Structure formats: C-alpha cells, structure tokens
Amino acid sequence: EAQVTQNPRYLITVTGKKLTVTCSQNMNHEYMSWYRQDPGLGLRQIYYSMNVEVTDKGDVPEGYKVSRKEKRNFPLILESPSPNQTSLYFCASRAGGGDTQYFGPGTRLTVL
Amino acid sequence: GENVEQHPSTLSVQEGDSAVIKCTYSDSASNYFPWYKQELGKRPQLIIDIRSNVGEKKDQRIAVTLNKTAKHFSLHITETQPEDSAVYFCAAAGNTGFQKLVFGTGTRLLVSP
C-alpha cells in the first residue's frame, strides 16, 4: 500500500530535550516536505527536499533541522524544542512539482 | 513568493445547499491548484485539482473553476451532505521542477441536516 508514515503520532516533551520525528514514504517520491499546522494559520512549510542530500528552508524553518540521506526517509529534528513549537506536524511527499501530494498521519507535539 | 488567500474562514449551509469557497493567488507563474479536505483529527487529502490549461474540472458533486486572468480559483460543492463537513484548504504551485505548494488558511464547512 502506497503511504507516508510518521512516528511518533503523539509526543509530549519538555523544553530543550532534543527530539526527532521520523517520516518515511514507499512511493519512490522525489519531493518531501514538512509542514506545521496551527489554528487559523493553515499549513506552513518548514523544510522541503527535492532529492537525497538536497534540502531547503520553507517559510518557518527556525528551530528545526532535516536530513535526507535516503530517498524514502526525511526526519525532522528539533535540537532544543520550545513551547512555541507545540503544533501538529505533517510530513508529505509527491513525485513531481505538479503531482498529487500525499500527507502522513500527523504528529501532535506538545512542548512543556 | 506565492501568497494564497482563502475565503470564507467558516461556512455554514443546510444539507442539500451548494457551498463555494474562493481562493486568490499572487504568483502568475503558478499553474497547479489542488484542494484538500481535512476531517477532524485526520490528514489532509486531495479531493480535486486543476491545472492552468483548463478552466473547470468536475468530479461528481465537486467542481473547481480557475480564472488565470484574475488569479483566483474556487471550489464548488453541490447537494451538500453532513459528511462534507470538514476543513478545506486550497493551494497553489508551479509544476516545473520543485515549486513550493503554498496553502490557504482553510475554510471550515459545516453542513447541517
């Protein structure tokens, strides 16, 4: 089954404790992105990747890191989480620029 | 860069009525316009999309229209049903190379029985 998976689905952590949210897709898609969703703000892009070892900043990259060492995986790293990073995070992938984007199930992160 | 504005932010209709959600975009180079539906607690899912070489696309009860001159596009849902209740997002992107998909802020649609 073609899908995008994320783990964990829910995470409660404390300020400053490094964490990683994993994302994996099995569709051999070139493009992957991370979004955060906050009430009233829609989906805002954090980082995106066009291929292995090619990543770039989206609209809200501060406080986040990503890596793309393998085509299927695109982890999101919060080196020192802060309460303003409490949000719902979605990973997404698509084959090309004008192709359907598929979202993962989401990760609800709470930073205390 | 691209900016997408979406209206209204909330929309309440009676079952059987039509619903229209409108979006405007700023970048005339954008030529791919998807619409996503997000039910409560779930991921956004594509419901319909349109590319700039067509002005309208239909899929059963939903349709999207695009006016490239005015840089706006709209989602039309006819004969609404309670299960249409969700948040709907429009988005815009180019389709050459990687073009960032920029989303609107969403419309919460409530269909009352």
Side-chain angles (χ1 to χ4, degrees), chain A residues 7-61:
Chain A
N7 283 291
R9 295 289 314 280
Y10 302 91
L11 180 60
I12 300 174
T13 189
V14 295
T15 299
K17 186 176 181 182
K18 181 179 178 180
L19 66 91
T20 299
V21 183
T22 65
C23 173
S24 183
Q25 50 94 6
N26 63 0
M27 296 171 277
N28 201 38
H29 284 169
E30 300 278 330
Y31 303 143
M32 298 186 74
S33 294
W34 275 103
Y35 296 88
R36 61 178 288 173
Q37 184 176 24
D38 302 290
L41 297 178
L43 291 149
R44 294 181 293 166
Q45 191 177 52
I46 303 170
Y47 268 95
Y48 62 92
S49 170
M50 292 173 278
N51 212 326
V52 174
E53 303 292 1
V54 181
T55 64
D56 206 348
K57 297 176 180 178
D59 294 320
V60 288

Side-chain angles (χ1 to χ4, degrees), chain B residues 58-74:
Chain B
K58 290 183 179 179
D59 183 3
Q60 298 183 326
R61 295 186 299 108
I62 61 173
V64 57
T65 58
L66 171 65
N67 183 326
K68 284 213 74 178
T69 302
K71 290 191 282 188
H72 66 71
F73 56 113
S74 300

Side-chain angles (χ1 to χ4, degrees), chain B residues 3-25:
Chain B
N3 181 53
V4 177
E5 294 189 358
Q6 183 172 347
H7 299 281
S9 56
T10 58
L11 180 58
S12 294
V13 300
Q14 293 291 318
E15 183 176 1
D17 288 349
S18 295
V20 181
I21 303 170
K22 299 180 179 180
C23 290
T24 60
Y25 61 99

Side-chain angles (χ1 to χ4, degrees), chain A residues 3-6 9 23-24 89-93 102-107, chain B residues 42-44:
Chain A
Q3 60 182 348
V4 180
T5 57
Q6 292 177 232
R9 295 289 314 280
C23 173
S24 183
Y89 291 87
F90 286 101
C91 179
S93 74
Y102 297 90
F103 285 86
T107 295
Chain B
K42 297 193 175 180
R43 74 190 81 186

